[in-house]
Amino acid sequence: FHRDNIGSQQIIRSGDINLMIAGRGIVHSERTPPDQIQADHHNMMHGLQVWIGLPLEHEQCDPAFFHYSHKEIPKVKISQEINGELLMGQYLDKISPVKTLSATLLMNLFCKKNAQHQFAFSEKEIGFLIVSGSALINREKLQTNDLIIFNDMSKIDFECPAYRNSGFGGYAWQHHSSR
């Protein structure tokens, strides 16, 4: 359950996206409602929190909060062995409804056993986070919770025995705050 000091209160379910723009500042919390906590942890949900740098002209904007249901998130067929969810940005012929103030690409990738694909991206920087399982990316073996970032998007060779992966990218963030 998300709650913040600008009045937002939102239950988040599996696959949903909450986008919060901090701007001048926001205070928030994410909590499991007491009536949903189970001693055996069968209702455990995993989440990924991503921080996206605001462009200089937006760093003092009003704070904001937006919720997107998993039903709004476009599905992307990468290949016969790899399907995805386009969480933010644009990929192939799909555009995510999630609006960001910085050029951002964020996808969940779901692979069949022994999937292989060669990616090419237009983003300035791209990363892969292994959420579960393992992968071989440009001959680099990665395990669960490993992150790899690329600056050369021309060719990314991707192999996975079977796993879930989050891929993301955009412009390389340069710290340029006026503060």
Side-chain angles (χ1 to χ4, degrees), residues 109 111 129-137 140-147 158-166:
L109 303 177
C111 303
L129 171 66
I130 309 305
V131 176
S132 65
S134 63
L136 190 65
I137 303 177
E140 178 105 20
K141 186 166 173 61
L142 303 169
Q143 301 294 329
T144 299
N145 297 324
D146 284 347
L147 169 68
F158 183 84
E159 298 177 44
C160 57
Y163 80 112
R164 177 178 170 196
N165 172 290
S166 286

Coordinates of all heavy atoms in Angstrom, one line a residue, residues 109 111 129-137 140-147 158-166:
L109 N 11.6 -9.1 -19.1 CA 11.7 -10.1 -20.2 C 11.5 -11.5 -19.5 O 12.0 -11.8 -18.5 CB 13.1 -10.0 -20.8 CG 13.5 -8.7 -21.3 CD1 15.0 -8.7 -21.8 CD2 12.6 -8.3 -22.5
C111 N 11.9 -15.5 -20.5 CA 12.6 -16.4 -21.5 C 12.2 -17.8 -21.3 O 12.0 -18.3 -20.2 CB 14.1 -16.3 -21.3 SG 14.7 -14.6 -21.4
L129 N 19.3 -6.5 -15.5 CA 19.3 -7.0 -14.1 C 18.7 -8.3 -14.1 O 17.5 -8.5 -14.5 CB 18.4 -6.0 -13.2 CG 18.2 -6.5 -11.8 CD1 19.5 -6.6 -11.0 CD2 17.2 -5.6 -11.1
I130 N 19.4 -9.3 -13.6 CA 18.9 -10.7 -13.5 C 18.1 -10.8 -12.3 O 18.6 -10.8 -11.2 CB 20.1 -11.7 -13.6 CG1 21.0 -11.4 -14.7 CG2 19.5 -13.1 -13.6 CD1 20.4 -11.4 -16.1
V131 N 16.7 -10.9 -12.5 CA 15.8 -11.0 -11.3 C 15.8 -12.5 -10.8 O 15.7 -12.7 -9.6 CB 14.4 -10.6 -11.8 CG1 13.4 -10.7 -10.7 CG2 14.5 -9.1 -12.2
S132 N 15.8 -13.5 -11.7 CA 15.9 -14.8 -11.2 C 16.6 -15.7 -12.3 O 16.5 -15.4 -13.5 CB 14.6 -15.4 -10.8 OG 13.7 -15.5 -12.0
G133 N 17.3 -16.7 -11.9 CA 18.0 -17.6 -12.8 C 19.4 -17.0 -13.2 O 20.1 -16.4 -12.4
S134 N 19.8 -17.2 -14.4 CA 21.1 -16.8 -14.9 C 21.0 -16.4 -16.4 O 20.0 -16.8 -17.0 CB 22.1 -17.9 -14.7 OG 21.8 -19.1 -15.5
A135 N 22.0 -15.8 -16.9 CA 22.1 -15.4 -18.3 C 23.5 -15.2 -18.7 O 24.4 -15.1 -17.9 CB 21.3 -14.1 -18.5
L136 N 23.7 -15.3 -20.0 CA 25.0 -15.0 -20.6 C 24.8 -13.9 -21.5 O 24.1 -14.0 -22.5 CB 25.5 -16.3 -21.4 CG 26.9 -16.3 -21.9 CD1 27.9 -16.3 -20.7 CD2 27.2 -17.5 -22.7
I137 N 25.4 -12.7 -21.2 CA 25.2 -11.5 -22.0 C 26.6 -11.0 -22.5 O 27.4 -10.7 -21.7 CB 24.5 -10.4 -21.2 CG1 23.1 -11.0 -20.7 CG2 24.3 -9.2 -22.1 CD1 22.3 -10.0 -19.9
E140 N 29.4 -12.7 -20.9 CA 29.5 -12.5 -19.4 C 28.4 -13.3 -18.7 O 27.3 -13.1 -18.9 CB 29.4 -11.0 -19.1 CG 29.5 -10.7 -17.7 CD 30.8 -10.0 -17.3 OE1 31.5 -9.5 -18.2 OE2 31.2 -10.1 -16.1
K141 N 28.8 -14.2 -17.8 CA 27.9 -15.0 -17.1 C 27.3 -14.2 -15.9 O 28.1 -13.7 -15.1 CB 28.5 -16.3 -16.6 CG 27.5 -17.3 -16.0 CD 28.1 -18.7 -15.8 CE 27.2 -19.6 -15.0 NZ 25.9 -19.9 -15.6
L142 N 26.0 -14.1 -15.8 CA 25.3 -13.4 -14.8 C 24.4 -14.3 -14.0 O 23.8 -15.2 -14.6 CB 24.6 -12.2 -15.4 CG 25.4 -11.2 -16.2 CD1 24.5 -10.3 -16.9 CD2 26.4 -10.5 -15.3
Q143 N 24.3 -14.0 -12.7 CA 23.4 -14.8 -11.8 C 22.3 -13.9 -11.2 O 22.4 -12.7 -11.4 CB 24.2 -15.4 -10.7 CG 25.3 -16.3 -11.1 CD 24.8 -17.6 -11.8 OE1 23.7 -18.1 -11.5 NE2 25.5 -18.1 -12.7
T144 N 21.4 -14.4 -10.5 CA 20.3 -13.7 -9.9 C 20.9 -12.5 -9.1 O 21.9 -12.6 -8.4 CB 19.5 -14.6 -8.9 OG1 18.9 -15.6 -9.6 CG2 18.4 -13.8 -8.2
N145 N 20.3 -11.3 -9.3 CA 20.7 -10.0 -8.6 C 21.9 -9.4 -9.3 O 22.3 -8.3 -8.8 CB 20.9 -10.2 -7.1 CG 19.6 -10.5 -6.4 OD1 18.5 -10.1 -6.8 ND2 19.7 -11.4 -5.4
D146 N 22.5 -10.0 -10.3 CA 23.6 -9.3 -11.0 C 23.0 -8.2 -12.0 O 22.0 -8.4 -12.5 CB 24.4 -10.3 -11.8 CG 25.3 -11.2 -11.0 OD1 25.6 -10.8 -9.8 OD2 25.9 -12.2 -11.5
L147 N 23.8 -7.2 -12.1 CA 23.5 -6.1 -13.0 C 24.7 -5.8 -13.9 O 25.8 -5.8 -13.5 CB 23.2 -4.8 -12.2 CG 23.1 -3.5 -12.9 CD1 21.8 -3.5 -13.8 CD2 23.0 -2.3 -11.9
F158 N 22.6 -12.3 -26.2 CA 21.8 -12.6 -25.0 C 21.4 -14.0 -25.0 O 20.8 -14.5 -26.0 CB 20.6 -11.7 -25.0 CG 19.7 -11.7 -23.9 CD1 19.9 -11.0 -22.8 CD2 18.5 -12.5 -24.0 CE1 19.0 -11.0 -21.7 CE2 17.6 -12.5 -22.9 CZ 17.9 -11.8 -21.8
E159 N 21.8 -14.8 -24.0 CA 21.4 -16.2 -23.9 C 20.9 -16.4 -22.4 O 21.5 -15.9 -21.5 CB 22.6 -17.1 -24.1 CG 23.2 -17.0 -25.5 CD 24.4 -17.9 -25.6 OE1 24.3 -19.1 -25.2 OE2 25.4 -17.4 -26.2
C160 N 19.9 -17.3 -22.3 CA 19.4 -17.6 -21.0 C 18.9 -19.0 -20.9 O 18.2 -19.4 -21.7 CB 18.4 -16.6 -20.5 SG 17.0 -16.5 -21.5
P161 N 19.3 -19.8 -19.9 CA 18.8 -21.1 -19.7 C 17.3 -21.1 -19.4 O 16.6 -21.8 -19.9 CB 19.6 -21.7 -18.5 CG 20.7 -20.7 -18.2 CD 20.4 -19.4 -18.9
A162 N 16.9 -20.2 -18.5 CA 15.5 -19.9 -18.2 C 15.5 -19.0 -17.0 O 16.1 -19.2 -16.0 CB 14.8 -21.2 -17.8
Y163 N 14.9 -17.8 -17.2 CA 14.9 -16.8 -16.1 C 14.0 -15.7 -16.4 O 13.5 -15.6 -17.5 CB 16.4 -16.3 -15.9 CG 16.8 -15.3 -16.9 CD1 17.0 -14.0 -16.5 CD2 16.9 -15.6 -18.3 CE1 17.3 -13.0 -17.5 CE2 17.2 -14.7 -19.2 CZ 17.4 -13.4 -18.8 OH 17.8 -12.4 -19.7
R164 N 13.9 -14.8 -15.5 CA 13.2 -13.5 -15.6 C 14.2 -12.4 -15.5 O 15.1 -12.5 -14.7 CB 12.1 -13.4 -14.6 CG 11.4 -12.1 -14.7 CD 10.3 -11.9 -13.6 NE 9.9 -10.6 -13.6 CZ 9.1 -10.1 -12.7 NH1 8.8 -10.8 -11.6 NH2 8.7 -8.8 -12.7
N165 N 14.1 -11.4 -16.4 CA 15.1 -10.4 -16.4 C 14.4 -9.1 -16.6 O 13.4 -8.9 -17.2 CB 16.0 -10.7 -17.7 CG 16.9 -9.6 -18.0 OD1 16.5 -8.5 -18.4 ND2 18.2 -9.9 -17.8
S166 N 15.0 -8.0 -16.0 CA 14.6 -6.7 -16.3 C 15.6 -6.0 -17.1 O 16.8 -5.9 -16.6 CB 14.3 -5.9 -15.0 OG 13.1 -6.4 -14.4

